[in-house]
């Protein structure tokens, strides 16, 4: 365990030299949640281990042999006309191990191509794609995994091509009902750049997470630490004014702890899961950073909170989640999970 902690600390120190503030990285769509359950748990979870194939995109070490011949399909109308889709299939080979293949896309819709006079010359679509191949290997209570990502970005005349890898590990102690995870995401580079001579970095991230289940209740709690390569996640706008009259002052329950407390909480996402006999589950999440950045001072409502549920039948599962991003909009995910082994069985 001491050796594992040392590796984690060294990895964080080495990768911190790559960190930059938001808006200075490309392929940021890679960090958007791709499934209903992940979205319901606050958008990030790398340690809730229960054979759910949709978690593999969050942490490749979540891939296990019991996911053999499973297929997951997710979709959301992300914002306005932006559509997000994700599909993944897993297969276990007796000698080689467990593999999965997935595709993630974000389609920004159709745009008009016009000249300087506003004359319409045609239409075009803009989209990002990532094709993922994952592999995992178990070692006692640990599981190690990796994902190779092939990334394509097509914005009409501006196109880019890149590669990246995710490296993850999980630890599960069934006796104490405790699990933990670590992942280093988006280590890679652009092969073809949008603009000649300008190479943009990828959104590298280190995440750590823990999950604790309760022995006498179908309940689990998760805590996930994100963006560990960059301490400062705040964006101070010169156009924003905070008044002292209660109503207009920025809502922040850590005001008494000041700047450091606010920065600390932006790195954590809290999730809770109620699983009733693996037939029905309810997931809840709270993303403090999302609330701090997107909630209006006087009308925060439920921004930053998320919830979802799933009905798990023998041959397939249906899932839905709701995440509040802003008072003006929210995101709804729908996922379908199919166990192809059960589908092909004859009654």
């Amino acid at each position: 365990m001491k050796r594992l902690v040392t590796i984690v600390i060294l990895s964080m120190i080495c990768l911190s030299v790559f960190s930059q503030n938001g808006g200075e990285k490309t392929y940021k769509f890679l960090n958007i949640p791709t499934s209903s359950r992940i979205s319901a748990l606050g958008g990030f979870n790398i340690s809730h281990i229960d054979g759910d194939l949709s978690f593999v995109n969050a942490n490749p070490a979540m891939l296990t042999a019991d996911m053999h011949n499973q297929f997951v399909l997710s979709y959301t109308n992300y914002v306005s006309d932006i559509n997000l889709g994700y599909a993944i299939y897993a297969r276990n080979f007796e000698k080689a191990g467990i593999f999965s293949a997935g595709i993630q896309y974000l389609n920004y819709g159709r745009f008009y191509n016009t000249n300087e006079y506003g004359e319409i010359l045609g239409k075009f679509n803009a989209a990002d794609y990532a094709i993922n191949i994952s592999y995992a290997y178990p070692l006692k209570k640990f599981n190690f995994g990796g994902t190779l990502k092939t990334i394509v970005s097509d914005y009409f005349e501006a196109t880019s091509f890149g590669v990246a890898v995710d490296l993850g590990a999980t630890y599960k102690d069934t006796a104490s009902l405790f699990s933990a995870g670590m992942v280093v995401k988006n280590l890679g580079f652009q092969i073809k750049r949008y603009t000649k001579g300008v190479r943009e970095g990828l959104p590298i991230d280190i995440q750590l997470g823990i999950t604790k289940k309760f022995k006498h209740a179908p309940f689990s709690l998760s805590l996930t630490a994100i963006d560990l390569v960059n301490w400062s996640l705040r964006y101070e706008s010169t156009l924003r004014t905070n008044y002292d009259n209660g109503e207009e002052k920025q809502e922040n329950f850590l005001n008494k702890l000041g700047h450091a407390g606010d920065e600390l909480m932006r790195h954590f996402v809290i999730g809770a899961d109620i699983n009733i006999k693996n037939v029905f589950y309810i997931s809840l999440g709270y993303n403090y950073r999302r609330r701090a950045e997107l909630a209006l001072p006087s009308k925060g409502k439920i921004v930053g909170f998320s919830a979802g549920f799933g009905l798990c039948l023998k041959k397939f599962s249906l899932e839905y989640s709701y995440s509040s991003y802003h008072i003006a909009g929210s995101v709804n995910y729908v996922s379908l999970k199919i166990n192809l082994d059960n589908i092909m069985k004859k009654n």
Side-chain angles (χ1 to χ4, degrees):
M1 183 59 69
K2 291 182 179 180
R3 187 174 300 176
L4 177 63
V5 173
T6 302
I7 293 173
V8 171
I9 295 173
L10 289 176
S11 299
M12 292 173 63
I13 294 173
C14 294
L15 286 171
S16 64
V17 301
F18 294 104
S19 65
Q20 296 182 14
N21 293 328
E24 299 179 356
K25 299 291 185 177
T26 190
Y27 307 144
K28 295 294 289 290
F29 79 101
L30 296 173
N31 291 332
I32 298 176
T34 53
S35 72
S36 297
R37 201 168 188 189
I38 291 288
S39 180
L41 289 168
F44 299 90
N45 192 297
I46 61 169
S47 58
H48 187 91
I49 304 171
D50 67 350
D52 191 333
L53 180 60
S54 66
F55 280 82
V56 172
N57 196 51
N59 184 356
M62 306 279 269
L63 183 63
T64 55
D66 57 355
M67 298 176 185
H68 171 71
N69 225 15
Q70 290 187 21
F71 175 75
V72 176
L73 181 65
S74 294
Y75 168 79
T76 180
N77 181 247
Y78 195 59
V79 178
S80 186
D81 292 329
I82 299 176
N83 294 296
L84 184 149
Y86 178 66
I88 184 172
Y89 171 76
R91 189 164 187 86
N92 185 46
F93 297 91
E94 186 175 346
K95 295 183 179 180
I98 180 73
F99 289 84
S100 72
I103 182 169
Q104 174 183 354
Y105 80 88
L106 191 66
N107 190 304
Y108 301 98
R110 179 163 292 188
F111 299 86
Y112 289 101
N113 176 27
T114 64
N115 59 21
E116 62 270 30
Y117 303 107
E119 298 172 340
I120 298 176
L121 305 179
K123 300 178 181 180
F124 66 94
N125 289 318
D128 288 313
Y129 305 89
I131 300 173
N132 308 328
I133 303 295
S134 301
Y135 173 77
Y137 180 79
L139 183 62
K140 295 183 178 179
K141 294 183 179 182
F142 291 89
N143 207 48
F144 301 92
T147 297
L148 174 63
K149 302 177 180 179
T150 302
I151 309 161
V152 178
S153 187
D154 182 9
Y155 304 155
F156 191 40
E157 294 182 351
T159 59
S160 178
F161 173 73
V163 293
V165 295
D166 293 351
L167 301 174
T170 59
Y171 169 83
K172 184 177 181 180
D173 188 339
T174 54
S176 61
L177 301 178
F178 173 82
S179 58
M182 171 188 174
V183 64
V184 182
K185 298 182 70 69
N186 305 320
L187 289 168
F189 55 90
Q190 284 181 305
I191 296 175
K192 182 183 184 300
R193 310 172 193 181
Y194 294 107
T195 304
K196 188 175 181 180
V198 179
R199 173 169 287 172
E200 301 173 78
L202 273 66
I204 298 172
D205 187 16
I206 293 179
Q207 299 175 11
L208 298 173
I210 57 174
T211 297
K212 172 63 178 179
K213 296 183 180 180
F214 296 88
K215 187 175 182 180
H216 300 293
F219 188 74
S220 65
L221 288 174
S222 296
L223 182 66
T224 306
I226 62 174
D227 283 308
L228 296 181
V229 295
N230 184 17
W231 164 250
S232 179
L233 300 179
R234 291 168 60 101
Y235 172 73
E236 301 291 350
S237 174
T238 57
L239 302 177
R240 186 170 187 172
T241 303
N242 294 328
Y243 301 98
D244 292 328
N245 60 14
E247 181 181 357
E248 295 295 335
K249 189 176 180 181
Q250 171 67 26
E251 181 184 358
N252 180 3
F253 71 86
L254 286 178
N255 274 333
K256 294 182 180 180
L257 296 181
H259 185 98
D262 181 60
E263 285 282 14
L264 178 65
M265 280 302 298
R266 288 173 188 249
H267 289 274
F268 288 97
V269 176
I270 302 171
D273 195 83
I274 303 171
N275 194 320
I276 303 174
K277 297 183 178 180
N278 295 322
V279 175
F280 181 78
Y281 77 80
I282 297 174
S283 296
L284 304 170
Y286 177 65
N287 188 317
Y288 175 86
R289 182 183 179 186
R290 186 182 296 164
R291 183 173 181 84
E293 293 179 347
L294 299 178
L296 298 180
S298 59
K299 295 182 180 180
K301 292 193 175 181
I302 59 171
V303 173
F305 290 90
S306 55
F309 65 88
L311 178 62
C312 309
L313 305 177
K314 184 177 181 180
K315 295 184 178 181
F316 65 90
S317 300
L318 289 174
E319 302 180 342
Y320 168 80
S321 70
Y322 171 90
S323 299
S324 180
Y325 278 61
H326 189 272
I327 188 174
S330 57
V331 175
N332 299 274
Y333 279 79
V334 177
S335 296
L336 172 66
K337 299 178 183 178
I338 300 174
N339 188 320
L340 296 179
D341 282 340
N342 291 336
I343 290 288
M344 293 182 289
K345 283 182 179 180
K346 295 182 179 179
N347 294 328

